[in-house]
Amino acid sequence: MNVVEPYEPIQHHWFFNQQVDSKDSWQPFSREDSQRLEDAYSRVGKCEKDEVVVVTNGRRYDVRLRERKRYSVYWEQKPAEVRRCSWFHKGSKDMNYTPYSEELSDLLEDAYMIAMTLDEWKTNLELPTGETVIFHNPKLMTQYPSSCKEFPPSPNEQTQSRTLKRGTENIPVEIPEGEPEIVDHLVFMVHGIGPACDIRFRGIVQCVNEFRSASDSLIKSHFRQSEDSCIIGRVEYLPVNWHKVLHGETTGVDKDIERITLPSINRLRQFSNDTVLDLFFYNSATYCQTIVDTVASEINRLHSLFLQRHPHFTGHVSLVGHSLGSLILFDLLTNQETDADGTPHELREDVHVDTGCGSYESLEEALKGHGLEEHLNILHREQMDMESLMLCSEKDLKDIGIPLGPRKKVMNCVKKWKHSRSGSGHAAQNETHSPSLGMRNEHHTPTTSAVDYQHFDVGIGQVSIDYPQLAFHPQAFFAMGSPIGMFLTVRGLKRIDPNYSFPTCKSFYNIFHPFDPVAYRIEPIILSQDMDLPPMLIPHHKGRKRMHLELKEGLTRVSSDLLGSLRMVWQSISQVPTPALAEGGISSMTPTDEAEVSPMEQEESNFTKVGTLNRGRRIDFVLQETPIESFNEYLFAIQSHLCYWESEDTALLVLREIYGNIQVRNAHL
């Protein structure tokens, strides 16, 4: 007698549709997020009219439950469809299983429950879409197209059939681990030229997501004991996109450039207009101001929004810039202003807005002073105050429903308020510390003299603009694949004063790949010219040097030892005096003892103090090239400039700075 297997209700899991190249790609939420969505679904029921919002993905996304859509919080992104999934299907040519709609899943589950309860199989279920599903047994279920009217189906109809699976446990899908609720540190990442950030032409959001994933994995592998003990949580990385604003309708620069672009080699010219021209824009007073304002306002906006969503956050903030993005941040940090007590101007509580638009201490006073009080309700609904209003763009005001006329008035006053705030900082020279770098005069005896970096004139190469202030003190600034050194040299800066440091940021790391054609060093323009200090080698995240580098250095040492032995033998049998040999060729070609040890193997404990940009520590850090890259450095030059977003070694260096003295465990394979 056959024992009928009891029916067990299905365990639902929530998915979202992350489209890739206009194709559906259904991805599962983490178990924690899925359970959070399921709990909310169970509480509100299907008849609930009010929208219910559930935060997911480390609070970077909100899911509107009734709408079944996932919305990004920090950046612009098309809303993604969300499903409560239980049944999945896959065709013979498909790579992955696709979830059925919730309605079809309910029909399939009801039919499956009846078949299980009655132990009746080989039954057919016709779907509302016209397809037919055959329940062969609890493990084998097949869907056939609507053209199939007779069974068994024809060979052609067999190829169009789809395999059905019930529950996520029966399909090959990796459910991601949830993210810790506690955020220890916030990092803003600024991109370089162009809309694409890596060799796969992905945007800044995708690349930052990749870096965040690498960081999360390294925390689990290298800081596991601290994570398990709840000593540390996680690091949040947020993208800062300035390219979209520069090339948007507000500036209109793309249309102007298009009118003067030649029609030949169209794709190459379009690529140049989208990427290389950003360098020229940054050296234009008009567009440099736009770029710097966009970066600073976006960072401040994201910082404010992050604090709203993480009200208990007590950690620090750091900055990462790639390529031109690192130069933008360098200039921005160099021109931050502090009071005598070290407080940024933007954080002063006693700064009142005083311009031609009036002197106001509150949002209510400001709007009433310009006859705009009727819009107070809208701004109060969005939890606006004077500080947050000054961080808004015109698009932000449009999105919340402020009409065109009042919107223009508000933006005009905001512009004047910002200018007043910036101007008040310049006026009080006796209360502020003026940022300066050291520069050697070209026309006189080489000396190091203080130069006001903020007021470089056009002859020096740095355009004169008003630098906005950040709303926080960064803990560290990481430059990846950075041309900072080159730009400073082109601007006429011969040497950075060893005593100079950023006014509000005490740590600075210049990270580069050895084959990166855009990257330049920083330490040589701090140290004296007679010092030749190689960059620090960034340790491999698996705890050792790459094997091909060890082999290369091993062969170098062997050849050095062999040449040394041959020299000793030759000296013992030769009548020629040793000094004469030294004047010949053999001794001069033999590496010294210092050269036998790779300069990149130096420990930081043995280094020379390198100024104060990184609190006296080393600044230049070089990645290890991969074995395949070492075969042809020219072939991988472009890729090396775009490698940082996926570099686990770079991510680990960032984590080491963030977590300081917490013990790091090397992860050997």
Side-chain angles (χ1 to χ4, degrees), residues 20-184:
V20 179
D21 297 330
S22 300
K23 296 181 180 179
D24 290 346
S25 176
W26 288 91
Q27 303 295 325
F29 285 97
S30 68
R31 297 191 187 281
E32 292 84 352
D33 285 345
S34 180
Q35 187 60 52
R36 194 177 293 115
L37 289 165
E38 187 67 16
D39 292 343
Y41 173 85
S42 301
R43 287 196 307 269
V44 301
K46 296 183 179 180
C47 298
E48 180 68 34
K49 293 183 179 181
D50 295 333
E51 184 59 88
V52 176
V53 177
V54 180
V55 296
T56 64
N57 305 88
R59 295 184 175 270
R60 294 183 298 276
Y61 290 88
D62 286 337
V63 172
R64 299 180 184 177
L65 209 58
R66 281 186 56 80
E67 192 181 348
R68 291 294 198 273
K69 291 289 181 67
R70 187 186 76 147
Y71 288 85
S72 60
V73 173
Y74 297 105
W75 54 82
E76 291 186 10
Q77 183 176 329
K78 184 180 179 181
E81 182 184 354
V82 172
R83 284 184 187 175
R84 181 175 181 257
C85 303
S86 55
W87 284 79
F88 304 83
H89 61 88
K90 184 173 83 71
S92 58
K93 297 181 180 180
D94 295 336
M95 296 294 294
N96 302 307
Y97 279 88
T98 300
Y100 279 100
S101 67
E102 295 182 34
E103 294 77 12
L104 291 181
S105 292
D106 290 342
L107 290 176
L108 291 168
E109 184 64 21
D110 289 342
Y112 178 85
M113 179 181 64
I114 293 172
M116 283 289 295
T117 303
L118 301 178
D119 196 24
E120 294 181 355
W121 300 99
K122 301 188 183 300
T123 58
N124 299 349
L125 172 65
E126 185 172 343
L127 300 177
T129 53
E131 291 92 346
T132 300
V133 173
I134 301 179
F135 292 86
H136 300 282
N137 58 55
K139 299 297 182 183
L140 179 59
M141 292 154 282
T142 312
Q143 174 184 307
Y144 293 97
S146 56
S147 58
C148 180
K149 302 299 182 183
E150 298 181 358
F151 292 89
S154 65
N156 182 51
E157 291 168 337
Q158 285 278 12
T159 60
Q160 300 180 41
S161 65
R162 309 187 72 80
T163 301
L164 273 65
K165 294 294 182 181
R166 178 178 182 265
T168 55
E169 64 274 10
N170 292 315
I171 62 173
V173 62
E174 183 177 352
I175 307 297
E177 295 186 38
E179 301 177 47
E181 283 291 325
I182 302 299
V183 177
D184 303 318

Side-chain angles (χ1 to χ4, degrees), residues 497-598:
D497 190 334
N499 295 320
Y500 174 78
S501 62
F502 294 124
T504 61
C505 180
K506 301 307 178 186
S507 296
F508 174 42
Y509 294 83
N510 184 39
I511 304 167
F512 54 90
H513 189 284
F515 304 156
D516 188 340
V518 180
Y520 289 82
R521 294 194 60 190
I522 295 293
E523 292 175 347
I525 55 179
I526 299 177
L527 300 169
S528 59
Q529 292 186 358
D530 58 347
M531 293 191 64
D532 184 16
L533 191 63
M536 286 291 295
L537 184 70
I538 298 178
H540 192 267
H541 66 279
K542 293 180 181 176
R544 57 181 294 169
K545 282 188 179 178
R546 293 185 185 272
M547 187 170 294
H548 72 285
L549 291 179
E550 290 185 339
L551 179 61
K552 180 180 178 180
E553 291 176 5
L555 291 175
T556 301
R557 280 193 290 268
V558 169
S559 62
S560 175
D561 293 343
L562 180 59
L563 286 173
S565 299
L566 289 175
R567 189 181 71 164
M568 293 179 62
V569 172
W570 176 257
Q571 289 175 347
S572 65
I573 63 176
S574 174
Q575 300 301 317
V576 181
T578 301
L581 282 175
E583 293 175 3
I586 297 179
S587 177
S588 60
M589 290 187 297
T590 305
T592 63
D593 290 341
E594 288 78 15
E596 289 179 10
V597 178
S598 170

Side-chain angles (χ1 to χ4, degrees), residues 386-399:
M386 287 293 291
E387 193 69 28
S388 57
L389 180 61
M390 293 179 71
L391 298 176
C392 286
S393 65
E394 184 172 351
K395 183 179 182 302
D396 294 329
L397 298 182
K398 180 180 179 181
D399 290 343

Side-chain angles (χ1 to χ4, degrees), residues 345-621:
H345 279 321
E346 199 70 14
L347 297 182
R348 289 177 59 187
E349 296 181 355
D350 59 338
V351 174
H352 297 167
V353 178
D354 188 9
T355 69
C357 282
S359 178
Y360 308 108
E361 297 185 12
S362 68
L363 183 63
E364 290 78 4
E365 289 184 18
L367 294 183
K368 288 179 181 179
H370 293 83
L372 299 172
E373 59 270 15
E374 61 183 288
H375 304 290
L376 267 175
N377 290 337
I378 297 177
L379 297 177
H380 284 161
R381 183 189 67 199
E382 301 296 330
Q383 300 180 358
M384 288 278 192
D385 55 16
M386 287 293 291
E387 193 69 28
S388 57
L389 180 61
M390 293 179 71
L391 298 176
C392 286
S393 65
E394 184 172 351
K395 183 179 182 302
D396 294 329
L397 298 182
K398 180 180 179 181
D399 290 343
I400 64 176
I402 303 293
L404 178 61
R407 192 165 69 237
K408 291 294 185 181
K409 290 182 180 180
V410 171
M411 293 308 299
N412 181 51
C413 283
V414 165
K415 182 179 180 181
K416 293 181 179 180
W417 294 336
K418 287 182 178 179
H419 181 73
S420 172
R421 179 171 290 190
S422 175
S424 64
H426 295 305
Q429 291 294 333
N430 60 327
E431 297 181 3
T432 62
H433 302 292
S434 176
S436 62
L437 298 174
M439 180 176 175
R440 191 178 66 194
N441 193 311
E442 295 181 355
H443 306 291
H444 302 87
T445 305
T447 58
T448 300
S449 58
V451 175
D452 192 347
Y453 187 77
Q454 185 171 356
H455 295 98
F456 275 166
D457 57 28
V458 177
I460 297 295
Q462 170 67 358
V463 296
S464 178
I465 64 171
D466 293 324
Y467 283 92
Q469 303 298 299
L470 297 178
F472 55 87
H473 280 183
Q475 173 179 315
F477 167 37
F478 302 89
M480 306 188 306
S482 174
I484 291 173
M486 180 270 290
F487 269 85
L488 293 181
T489 302
V490 170
R491 291 172 180 175
L493 197 67
K494 294 296 184 181
R495 189 186 179 200
I496 297 177
D497 190 334
N499 295 320
Y500 174 78
S501 62
F502 294 124
T504 61
C505 180
K506 301 307 178 186
S507 296
F508 174 42
Y509 294 83
N510 184 39
I511 304 167
F512 54 90
H513 189 284
F515 304 156
D516 188 340
V518 180
Y520 289 82
R521 294 194 60 190
I522 295 293
E523 292 175 347
I525 55 179
I526 299 177
L527 300 169
S528 59
Q529 292 186 358
D530 58 347
M531 293 191 64
D532 184 16
L533 191 63
M536 286 291 295
L537 184 70
I538 298 178
H540 192 267
H541 66 279
K542 293 180 181 176
R544 57 181 294 169
K545 282 188 179 178
R546 293 185 185 272
M547 187 170 294
H548 72 285
L549 291 179
E550 290 185 339
L551 179 61
K552 180 180 178 180
E553 291 176 5
L555 291 175
T556 301
R557 280 193 290 268
V558 169
S559 62
S560 175
D561 293 343
L562 180 59
L563 286 173
S565 299
L566 289 175
R567 189 181 71 164
M568 293 179 62
V569 172
W570 176 257
Q571 289 175 347
S572 65
I573 63 176
S574 174
Q575 300 301 317
V576 181
T578 301
L581 282 175
E583 293 175 3
I586 297 179
S587 177
S588 60
M589 290 187 297
T590 305
T592 63
D593 290 341
E594 288 78 15
E596 289 179 10
V597 178
S598 170
M600 293 187 296
E601 280 185 308
Q602 316 171 68
E603 296 292 336
E604 261 196 292
S605 58
N606 299 324
F607 74 83
T608 303
K609 181 178 180 181
V610 185
T612 55
L613 267 177
N614 196 22
R615 292 182 285 188
R617 300 175 301 176
R618 296 297 303 273
I619 296 173
D620 291 337
F621 289 80

